[in-house]
Amino acid sequence: MPKEAPSVTTLLSFLSALSEANPSRPARAPLRIHFPSSDSSASPTTVSSPGTTLTKDAAALPPSYSISATALSNITVPNCDLSPVSSHSSSSLEPDGFGTGHSRRRGSAASNAQGNIPHYMVICLDLDPPFPSFPVLAPILHSLEADLRLETEELDAAEGYLYLTADEVVGGSEGIRHAREDTRRTKPVVRYMGPKPPGVSSPHRYVFLCWEQPGGVDGKKVREVLGLDNEEGEDVGMATRVRFDQEAFERNLGLGEVVAGNYFVC
């Protein structure tokens, strides 16, 4: 059986503890996943609680993301005061308890000292193909977005999350979209592929992990590490996606701790 990457194991353990800490209310993961609706009259679907069950249709389109301000407690964000959200004491079972503080992550102190807000990448993996009881194809890479930045102009004060968005506007329908603005895009390194578990399978776990990009790492560098030649954003084959070597990917890019994460089941 394929070996689960330590980053995934650590994230899932944290999210499990987060859910068990207060069973009387839904847990809020450090990363929210926002799925647009294919029906313009319907509301988008937001995954805040770990392990939320979604239909294939609800998770069909490329999502956008937002990060808990408490996971960014050591970042100074211009035009955005995080102190009302992140000044409380950390708890190992609160969102800021996972990889607490950017000072522990590679490249963070230098970038923040220079007044630069780090860029981020988000990856989505299916942990259970083709069946949770026999995941011989795991993990399958469902998407990889790089060169994302925090939407610093506005904090969702009611929820305590900041949105991730692209550095620039590019055409096409693939890529990160701010939850409230469909005009912002960034080309994906690997296009999002919606969940498609076999009809006879029990639900699969689709996990999302977010890292701060180390210095010198951008979308072009990620493509080079993966051996991809898809600068125009064309799709990659299943050979790239199936049995994705997550540990080697993190090692080759020099990624530090996971900043935030979440998962849904389908």
Side-chain angles (χ1 to χ4, degrees):
M1 293 291 183
K3 181 182 177 182
E4 190 171 85
S7 59
V8 174
T9 303
T10 300
L11 173 65
L12 293 177
S13 296
F14 166 77
L15 294 175
S16 176
L18 189 68
S19 299
E20 294 170 0
N22 191 345
S24 63
R25 63 181 177 89
R28 295 197 310 163
L31 185 73
R32 292 192 308 187
I33 311 162
H34 308 277
F35 286 101
S37 173
S38 56
D39 182 351
S40 59
S41 63
S43 299
T45 299
T46 294
V47 178
S48 296
S49 299
T52 297
T53 299
L54 298 183
T55 64
K56 293 180 183 179
D57 288 342
L61 297 180
S64 60
Y65 313 102
S66 56
I67 302 179
S68 169
T70 54
L72 306 170
S73 58
N74 287 352
I75 279 282
T76 301
V77 181
N79 306 320
C80 186
D81 181 13
L82 302 185
S83 57
V85 180
S86 61
S87 60
H88 60 76
S89 299
S90 295
S91 164
S92 61
L93 298 182
E94 288 295 326
D96 52 339
F98 182 71
T100 304
H102 276 235
S103 62
R104 294 177 58 193
R105 288 185 284 274
R106 189 170 306 184
S108 305
S111 62
N112 201 28
Q114 297 169 3
N116 299 324
I117 301 301
H119 285 75
Y120 298 87
M121 73 173 64
V122 178
I123 194 170
C124 174
L125 302 168
D126 178 358
L127 302 181
D128 300 311
F131 309 106
S133 59
F134 192 60
V136 292
L137 301 179
I140 291 181
L141 176 62
H142 272 249
S143 69
L144 201 168
E145 300 274 0
D147 301 330
L148 307 176
R149 63 175 175 82
L150 295 170
E151 183 70 20
T152 61
E153 289 80 7
E154 180 181 357
L155 167 68
D156 184 350
E159 297 292 335
Y161 286 79
L162 284 86
Y163 292 98
L164 285 173
T165 190
D167 264 344
E168 59 184 351
V169 176
V170 298
S173 61
E174 295 288 346
I176 287 292
R177 287 171 283 187
H178 190 287
R180 290 160 295 179
E181 297 181 34
D182 285 343
T183 57
R184 297 184 179 180
R185 303 281 193 273
T186 184
K187 292 178 182 177
V189 176
V190 175
R191 287 185 182 181
Y192 177 74
M193 179 176 68
K196 297 178 180 179
V200 295
S201 173
S202 55
H204 288 202
R205 296 164 297 165
Y206 297 86
V207 64
F208 292 75
L209 303 99
C210 175
W211 289 270
E212 177 188 331
Q213 292 178 191
V217 173
D218 56 13
K220 182 178 180 179
K221 177 66 174 179
V222 176
R223 288 182 174 90
E224 290 176 357
V225 166
L226 293 178
L228 300 178
D229 183 20
N230 64 339
E231 287 291 342
E232 299 303 316
E234 63 265 21
D235 202 2
V236 300
M238 286 303 293
T240 299
R241 296 179 183 267
V242 173
R243 292 179 178 169
F244 183 68
D245 192 339
Q246 179 69 17
E247 281 195 76
F249 172 75
E250 295 178 36
R251 181 175 60 253
N252 292 337
L253 286 175
L255 299 181
E257 295 179 7
V258 173
V259 175
N262 201 354
Y263 78 98
F264 69 89
V265 297
C266 177

